């Protein structure tokens, strides 16, 4: 399992990504950032010895959305291949509007893999 961190930068209202405590950089050496980070919790199954995975991307499940320095418990829904993935506030049921800019979606198999600090 890979350890990924997203650290909120309030002065820029962005999240900086790191993996194994090393900054995640683009091929040109620029820090990877996102305006919104969404976490999809879904079924993930390793299908062969190489480590390829089958990931359930249709239906719905639990999730989280991080934006503006806040964490929102969410439900993700994707009813069919032709419809886009949407996130809803778990408390209100309202669709979450993502900030303009870069949105990064992390996919994990278990909520226990998410820690908030």
């Amino acid at each position: 399992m890979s350890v990924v961190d997203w650290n909120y930068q309030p002065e820029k209202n962005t999240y900086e990504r790191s993996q194994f405590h090393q900054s995640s950089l683009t091929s040109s050496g620029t820090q990877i950032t996102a305006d919104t980070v969404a976490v999809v919790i879904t079924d993930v199954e390793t299908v062969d010895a190489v480590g390829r995975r089958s990931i359930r991307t249709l239906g719905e499940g639990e999730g989280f959305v991080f934006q503006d320095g806040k964490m929102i418990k969410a439900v993700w829904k994707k009813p069919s291949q032709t419809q886009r993935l949407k996130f809803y506030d778990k408390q209100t049921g309202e669709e979450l509007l993502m900030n303009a800019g870069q949105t990064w979606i992390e996919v994990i198999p278990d909520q226990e893999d998410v820690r908030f600090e």
Side-chain angles (χ1 to χ4, degrees):
M1 180 174 81
S2 146
V3 176
V4 173
D5 293 309
W6 286 95
N7 296 306
Y8 181 61
Q9 305 300 312
E11 67 283 352
K12 299 176 188 173
N13 196 29
T14 60
Y15 295 84
E16 292 184 349
R17 188 178 195 275
S18 62
Q19 192 165 359
F20 296 112
H21 307 292
Q22 298 290 321
S23 293
S24 296
L25 306 176
T26 65
S27 59
S28 64
T30 305
Q31 171 69 53
I32 292 175
T33 63
D35 300 286
T36 302
V37 178
V39 178
V40 169
I41 302 168
T42 190
D43 304 318
V44 178
E45 179 183 353
T46 303
V47 295
D48 61 22
V50 176
R52 287 182 272 247
R53 297 178 182 166
S54 173
I55 300 172
R56 181 177 63 86
T57 58
L58 295 178
E60 63 181 73
E62 301 287 318
F64 299 95
V65 173
F66 297 88
Q67 61 184 8
D68 301 324
K70 298 176 185 159
M71 182 271 297
I72 303 163
K73 290 182 180 180
V75 173
W76 63 268
K77 296 181 182 181
K78 184 168 172 50
S80 72
Q81 288 284 17
T82 58
Q83 292 178 299
R84 73 176 176 84
L85 174 65
K86 294 182 182 181
F87 291 86
Y88 298 85
D89 186 306
K90 189 172 181 178
Q91 281 191 313
T92 66
E94 293 181 29
E95 183 177 356
L96 293 169
L97 302 176
M98 305 298 183
N99 287 345
Q102 182 83 358
T103 297
W104 189 292
I105 299 175
E106 296 280 2
V107 177
I108 62 172
D110 194 330
Q111 183 171 336
E112 292 176 11
D113 293 335
V114 179
R115 282 176 283 171
F116 312 104
E117 298 175 11

